Amino acid sequence: MSSIALKLLKPLGLPEKLSLAQLVKALVVPLSGILIFLFIWNIAARNIHTSLGEFPGPTQVYEQSLNLLSEHNRERQKEVAFHQRQEVRNAAKLEKNPDAVVKTRPYTGKPTFIDQIGTSLITVLAGFFAASLIAIPAGIVIGLNKTLYSAFNPVIQLFKPVSPLAWLPLVTMVVSAVYVSDDPMFAKSFITSLITVSLCCLWPTLLNTAVGVSTISADLNNVSKVLRLSWLTHVIKIVIPSAIPMIFTGLRLSLGIAWMVLIAAEMLAQNPGLGKFVWDEFQNGSSNSLGRIMVAVLVIGLIGFMLDRIMLMLQKKVSWDKSVELR
Amino acid sequence: MTTTKHLELTGVDIDFPTPNGPFKALSNVNLKIDRGEFVSLIGHSGCGKSTVLNIVAGLYQATKGGVLLDGKEVNEPGPERAVVFQNHSLLPWLTAYENVELAVKQVFKKTKTKAEMKEWIEYNLQLVHMDHAMHKRPDEISGGMKQRVGIARALAMEPTVMLMDEPFGALDALTRAHLQDSLMEIQADLNNTVIMITHDVDEAVLLSDRIVMMTNGPAATVGEILEVKLPRPRHRLELADDPQYNHYRAAVLSFLYEKQRTPGEAPTKPTKQHTSTDSTTTDSPEATTPTTKTSSTDEQAA
């Protein structure tokens, strides 16, 4: 029992060996916090009446999460059945005439909640990577050059607080105009969400990289000068490693923002992810809708938390400064 | 001036721009150093010792005058003038070996094979007695060990001149003594030219062939130059009672605390340390007077 508990606790950044007192502290205290929250939520939910019925409490949310799972499983079974039928049909066709052209059609059922989680994750990671690919090199260049930094700092500060909802109409129009192809590799909604996410989560990485790069100790710069390192070697051997902790701080902030922005972007861009799920449930307006949205809320929170933990793990792995306690 | 010396600083001035106009940190610094000589720069904080070193390193440019190394003008940093920095300046994400490797790869990438480089890195780490902890990172070793690696990195560049900026300043007294002994050994082996900045009078007398004493800033310059003619190898224990050693010590102390008092210190009150060394020197009649030259212009004429 306790070994399972330990395995569960490991990703929370707790030490591997725990005494009983530590276990109580690490497990019982947070659990009681959750219980208190559930209790308050339960009471509050019963007293909120909406046009779609009572606000969902923990029980309804639990039921709806089971529902969503079983819907997913049913959809998967349908898909398997579809592929089986197709194979049987094709096999029969080939038996009659070995030269017959057989078509394999993809299954086109509606995406389930789980599929939508997958889409959201792919979109957010794509947007985050695109942003990082721009922000890290740009941050390094800006951080190394004081003039560039003072030139671009106002622009960065100007765009940093802009909401995704403001960007989205512009991005949508630009994508519609520029991304024209008969056989698009990606859906427009995906591209629109990706770009919106990138635009919003670019800034923390950019700024933190620039600051990290510009605060390299003068001594290390002098070492580089005495060794006559070329610009590229200087950047690779001295600048990047020394800015890595700051870069990762930026990346973590960026990923957090990316995930938050994504839900809004998906709602409006109709990218089939969690944002669209929430929007569709809201439009649907059945008595289960609020419960299902609440499931999405919790899942969004959980995934956001997990993404942050993964980044923290990476950060700990690449951080050379072991004296700093990362949390 | 018929023979050009190994390293020559001639009429070096440096001005630093400040919001209130230029600040003259150094004025007319003249210094000549022979090959294989160990020279210490000593002076009060803020007197521009580090500035002199940085000019020789090429990290600062003299406003007037300049530096010649073997007849060539110094105007940019380079590995032939390796620097040992005060706070070791190792790259914290690299192991001791990798720190030295970065330097070796840069300096010998064309002349040494991979195997030769490896051997050379290990040899230099051995020289500073760090071969047992080569693959540890700076945060896993003590301050003294870090400084050893810093010295190994500088030595591995095979510098013509090694510049040391208060290399042992941040270390405790015992570790410092160890490292001073190591440095003397290495110096006896390799016979490098060394310029070392120090605050520590004992360190200066123990290690140096010549001690360059600098006047207080602004517009600091070379005040006196003391030649230390103690036979090598030198042992700190034997020297502790050596009248000649104490005489040199007293000479430096008197320069620092009588002639170049730090502002704010009472002029008539010599430090306790000073009086005690004075008494030891007067107790020993066979003490030879240290050769003290009074100004940098005298040195130039000599």
Side-chain angles (χ1 to χ4, degrees), chain B residues 39-61:
Chain B
V39 175
S40 295
L41 293 179
I42 199 165
H44 289 289
S45 303
C47 75
K49 306 183 294 281
S50 289
T51 313
V52 173
L53 199 83
N54 281 329
I55 290 172
V56 178
L59 293 166
Y60 291 162
Q61 298 298 317

Side-chain angles (χ1 to χ4, degrees), chain B residues 107-118:
Chain B
V107 179
F108 298 106
K109 62 185 162 200
K110 281 180 193 135
T111 50
K112 277 192 200 299
T113 64
K114 264 200 176 142
E116 281 171 338
M117 281 195 213
K118 183 171 185 288

